[in-house]
Amino acid sequence: MPMPLAIQSTMRTIAIAASVLLAACSFPAATQPAVSTPAPTLSPEPTPAPDIPPADTDTPPDPSLAVIGPPQVVFDWSSDSCEPEDIPDLPVRAFRDADGLVHLVSAHIRGRAFVGQSLDAVERDCRVISESGHDPDPGRFNDSEWLSSLYTEDGRTIYAVQHHEYHGWEHEGCPSEDIFTCWYNTLTLAVSTDGGRSFIDAAPPPNHFVAGLPIPYEAGAGPYGLLEASNIIKGPEGFYYLMVRADGYRSTDQWLCLLRSDDLSDPASWRAWDGDSFNMVFVDPYRQPEALREAHTCAPVGGDELGLMNTSLTYNTFLERFLMVGLSADHLDGREVWGIYYAFSDDLLNWSRRRLLWEVPLPWSYQPGDRFTILYPSLLDPDSPSLNFETTGEQNYLYFTRFNLQDGVSPLDRDLIRIPVAFFASESEAQAADARTALTLESQAGAEGRVLLQGRLSTYGGQPVAGAAIELAATGLGGPGTLSEYQLRAVSPPEAQNALIGYRVNTECDCSGEADFTIFEIGYREDSRADNLVPDPAFELGLDGLEIWGEAAVESIPAENGSGNGLRVQAEEGQVAGAHLAVVPVSPGAAFTATITARVAPRSAGSGYFVVIFTNLEGEILRLTTDLAPAPVPVGSSISDPDGNFVFEWVPEAGDFTFTARFLGSNGRWPALAESEIRIP
């Protein structure tokens, strides 16, 4: 169990200033489809702290945390989801039940868990363990609730502090186009008495209220409230602690609050640090509207050192200190860097200056071209002796949610990933052991129309990686494009009856441009059966029976190979084009793969998408898309030499090309990607 908490009587309040920076990363490209329906609400953007250099000190440097292995997929939304909105939408929490089974929870508004004999062997359980009330009355704190901070003493009764959002835009309208202004956040309490198999509110709403700002909901004033609580840890003196972020009412102020309780069964037992002690009482603003706001607003903790990172709080037995891991930004090497950081503390109030573990794009630091963003980091040790995994050790796993993107859209397609991490005595030792890789690529015209592709694969610390296979591909930036298969793989909604397969150009999207593409075959196959459910997959009947509309030129042409025909679509910028090329009866809740075999001219990029739309008698339920874009063509591979260098020659046709080099990764190394453009005369 954690060490005693020596809570200090003084602390420093530091103003949090807002700023945003675009971040870069080298994670492997996501290959899953995007979803164009509105995704569940993301957390409002946290604001980073200003750069304040740490004070000089003679104490030894803190150990460094490093990534020591490649990413592992815990949950792949395309194949593992129980329904489309079955997504990892908060940091994962874990506990062991009375039978020794591990429950791993990364909740959404309809909660589910992973269950198994160990943290390394959990599998998705499709049973629903918690439901949201969707109550339109903000004073009942019973709208959209996520299981957030779980704790058990016996594996039978599990308490869960819930992240509760009131979505004003869903109930009474919102005076602004920005739905965040109608977001109101509080914490509530749920309980399970059957070992985590089901959770209910710990008291009838609104009596399950745990904490919030002393201000009722006000449309247009948000986002504000208490949100995204850390996991719960316990001190030997019997108190339970968690860290929570506060977003100020009608302001950009954000700060961290430290809460504690001596009775998890009582929602009203939680107290917050007030600057001197844990004496601040939370009040329900609907039942105590006369309460003074200043007296019931939690004081900031962590200051600039933490920079609003609070998602994962553990006691580290290797360091004998508290450890925080979370998202933040800091000024490093003359620039502001967003990513995953970590910090240490002896008392939960005073923290070391946060240190960068991984620079990675976040939803608010997305840069065009990024293939994913991440949220919700959480550190777990499979060997933790705690029922609640509240301790970590020398080696652990960092879990996070990866948002697979297309054109910057944040879809339902979210995967739960984990990476192994470990502590090292120094930064140099950490860099030497780090498993991440970096790849460079240069292209230049050679003799006799050849293209010379060369680059280097190295470790995070700059050491060469020898004997690695580098896969090379080329994408033409002109011409008609390459015949390719565009794929959408997911699970059909449980209420779906049909799937419409088609395309959109310059409509129903944030897209614009000219388009030129030809579709030769479409398919829809469910995993439980091998046959193609599309009745005329190769357009044997030409345009007959197809639902086509818009201003684009559409014609039936002979297939390039095999039987059937192709459907060519040509649209000028601004011309609308749409079609439903097949209506497929589907099995509700079935895993499927939809394919569109097509040739897409590069000039079509950004003009639209191929689409699968699920419907029932009430209309559209879910829309899955994949962008109209040219597909890369593999051109060969090369093996890195002892210095990490590789060289490859290729003879292309004339034109403009983007070349891609990709290291697929290994048991001990991360993947890496690099690109280079060249014009071949």
Side-chain angles (χ1 to χ4, degrees):
M1 300 299 294
M3 296 286 285
L5 302 181
I7 302 300
Q8 305 298 315
S9 62
T10 60
M11 63 169 294
R12 184 165 56 99
T13 300
I14 300 178
I16 305 299
S19 60
V20 175
L21 181 73
L22 302 178
C25 63
S26 59
F27 200 81
T31 58
Q32 308 300 334
V35 178
S36 61
T37 52
T41 308
L42 295 179
S43 168
E45 171 186 333
T47 54
D51 183 34
I52 300 178
D56 292 334
T57 177
D58 295 328
T59 59
D62 287 320
S64 293
L65 190 61
V67 177
I68 59 170
Q72 303 170 15
V73 178
V74 179
F75 170 82
D76 185 330
W77 178 85
S78 296
S79 57
D80 300 336
S81 58
C82 304
E83 60 176 327
E85 290 200 5
D86 178 22
I87 54 176
D89 203 42
L90 273 186
V92 294
R93 311 301 185 202
F95 65 89
R96 292 183 180 91
D97 66 22
D99 297 323
L101 292 176
V102 171
H103 298 243
L104 182 70
V105 179
S106 178
H108 189 36
I109 55 176
R110 170 177 284 177
R112 291 182 173 89
F114 302 85
V115 182
Q117 293 293 330
S118 70
L119 198 59
D120 297 323
V122 294
E123 295 182 355
R124 193 58 164 174
D125 187 338
C126 283
R127 290 179 298 180
V128 175
I129 62 175
S130 66
E131 289 275 15
S132 294
H134 303 292
D135 194 324
D137 181 356
R140 286 175 54 79
F141 312 112
N142 193 38
D143 187 2
S144 296
E145 292 175 300
W146 286 251
L147 297 173
S148 176
S149 310
L150 293 84
Y151 203 93
T152 181
E153 293 283 8
D154 58 11
R156 295 181 177 85
T157 300
I158 296 91
Y159 294 100
V161 172
Q162 298 182 108
H163 169 99
H164 168 260
E165 298 176 6
Y166 180 73
H167 294 169
W169 66 92
E170 294 178 351
H171 300 300
E172 60 178 39
C174 189
S176 168
E177 293 182 357
D178 181 3
I179 62 174
F180 283 175
T181 67
C182 295
W183 177 345
Y184 176 63
N185 226 105
T186 54
L187 304 181
T188 60
L189 185 66
V191 64
S192 170
T193 57
D194 56 8
R197 293 165 181 80
S198 63
F199 286 81
I200 60 172
D201 291 330
N207 296 324
H208 67 324
F209 171 83
V210 168
L213 295 182
I215 306 169
Y217 169 72
E218 180 181 328
Y224 64 96
L226 299 186
L227 64 160
E228 294 185 352
S230 72
N231 54 298
I232 297 171
I233 62 173
K234 184 183 180 183
E237 73 279 25
F239 287 106
Y240 305 91
Y241 294 83
L242 62 80
M243 195 84 78
V244 63
R245 195 180 97 209
D247 284 8
Y249 166 73
R250 286 193 175 276
S251 76
T252 59
D253 294 341
Q254 294 176 305
W255 64 98
L256 296 180
C257 300
L258 184 61
L259 281 59
R260 82 176 189 184
S261 167
D262 60 0
D263 183 1
L264 289 180
S265 68
D266 182 5
S269 67
W270 288 90
R271 300 290 183 267
W273 179 256
D274 62 10
D276 293 310
S277 62
F278 285 95
N279 286 325
M280 200 229 82
V281 178
F282 292 99
V283 295
D284 179 342
Y286 289 89
R287 278 118 203 120
Q288 295 177 267
E290 73 286 351
L292 295 175
R293 292 183 179 179
E294 295 79 7
H296 299 282
T297 299
C298 46
V301 299
D304 180 61
E305 284 70 29
L306 280 184
L308 294 179
M309 43 185 275
N310 74 307
T311 56
S312 180
L313 176 62
T314 61
Y315 182 80
N316 189 272
T317 56
F318 175 70
L319 304 174
E320 297 185 343
R321 303 178 73 183
F322 293 102
L323 173 65
M324 181 72 78
V325 174
L327 303 176
S328 191
D330 208 350
H331 293 268
L332 305 172
D333 298 325
R335 63 190 183 95
E336 195 172 50
V337 178
W338 285 96
I340 298 175
Y341 287 76
Y342 59 99
F344 311 103
S345 176
D346 294 319
D347 59 14
L348 292 177
L349 289 176
N350 300 285
W351 290 86
S352 66
R353 180 72 181 188
R354 63 191 179 279
R355 303 177 66 182
L356 178 67
L357 172 64
W358 180 23
E359 180 180 0
V360 62
L362 312 179
W364 46 87
S365 65
Y366 163 83
Q367 182 175 357
D370 286 339
R371 293 167 174 82
F372 74 97
T373 60
I374 75 112
L375 277 179
Y376 314 133
S378 182
L379 201 67
L380 293 174
D381 180 359
D383 297 323
S384 173
S386 166
L387 283 180
N388 302 283
F389 293 87
E390 61 198 298
T391 64
T392 48
E394 182 179 4
Q395 296 189 15
N396 309 281
Y397 280 101
L398 177 71
Y399 290 74
F400 58 89
T401 297
R402 180 180 68 189
F403 293 67
N404 300 317
L405 304 182
Q406 292 201 5
D407 289 341
V409 176
S410 178
L412 289 176
D413 185 2
R414 308 177 188 183
D415 301 330
L416 181 62
I417 310 294
R418 73 175 190 175
I419 56 176
V421 297
F423 283 102
F424 293 87
S426 66
E427 182 68 21
S428 59
E429 290 182 39
Q431 288 190 358
D434 201 294
R436 286 171 286 183
T437 60
L439 186 64
T440 63
L441 177 65
E442 296 180 355
S443 58
Q444 62 185 45
E448 300 177 353
R450 294 179 177 272
V451 174
L452 183 66
L453 302 173
Q454 56 188 351
R456 184 174 186 265
L457 181 66
S458 62
T459 67
Y460 180 72
Q463 299 301 309
V465 177
I470 311 298
E471 304 294 333
L472 297 154
T475 303
L477 301 180
T482 303
L483 187 65
S484 304
E485 185 178 90
Y486 296 80
Q487 188 177 98
L488 291 161
R489 176 168 174 77
V491 177
S492 61
E495 65 272 33
Q497 296 176 336
N498 296 300
L500 309 179
I501 304 175
Y503 60 81
R504 299 289 190 272
V505 176
N506 295 324
T507 185
E508 300 176 28
C509 62
D510 183 17
C511 54
S512 177
E514 61 176 314
D516 185 358
F517 59 92
T518 305
I519 303 173
F520 293 98
E521 187 172 353
I522 55 179
Y524 187 99
R525 291 176 171 83
E526 294 178 345
D527 287 6
S528 59
R529 50 191 298 185
D531 55 319
N532 187 353
L533 301 183
V534 175
D536 183 20
F539 306 111
E540 299 276 0
L541 302 178
L543 301 182
D544 292 347
L546 305 182
E547 184 183 356
I548 300 173
W549 67 90
E551 307 155 290
V554 182
E555 60 177 329
S556 178
I557 64 173
E560 294 186 3
N561 47 52
S563 60
N565 298 288
L567 188 72
R568 186 175 186 185
V569 180
Q570 294 174 284
E572 300 296 329
E573 185 172 359
Q575 288 186 327
V576 169
H580 295 150
L581 306 177
V583 180
V584 180
V586 302
S587 302
F592 72 91
T593 301
T595 57
I596 299 175
T597 303
R599 185 186 297 276
V600 179
R603 60 182 177 275
S604 304
S607 65
Y609 51 85
F610 297 124
V611 64
V612 176
I613 301 174
F614 291 97
T615 66
N616 59 18
L617 293 178
E618 297 180 357
E620 179 176 333
I621 302 170
L622 177 68
R623 179 176 299 207
L624 307 179
T625 71
T626 184
D627 294 338
L628 291 172
V633 178
V635 299
S637 63
S638 181
I639 303 297
S640 59
D641 65 18
D643 294 322
N645 299 316
F646 64 90
V647 178
F648 186 81
E649 285 190 327
W650 186 54
V651 183
E653 299 176 355
D656 296 342
F657 291 87
T658 294
F659 292 99
T660 302
R662 187 188 301 274
F663 170 55
L664 298 180
S666 65
N667 289 335
R669 293 288 174 197
W670 275 44
L673 176 73
E675 294 182 345
S676 178
E677 289 190 10
I678 191 172
R679 179 177 181 83
I680 310 300

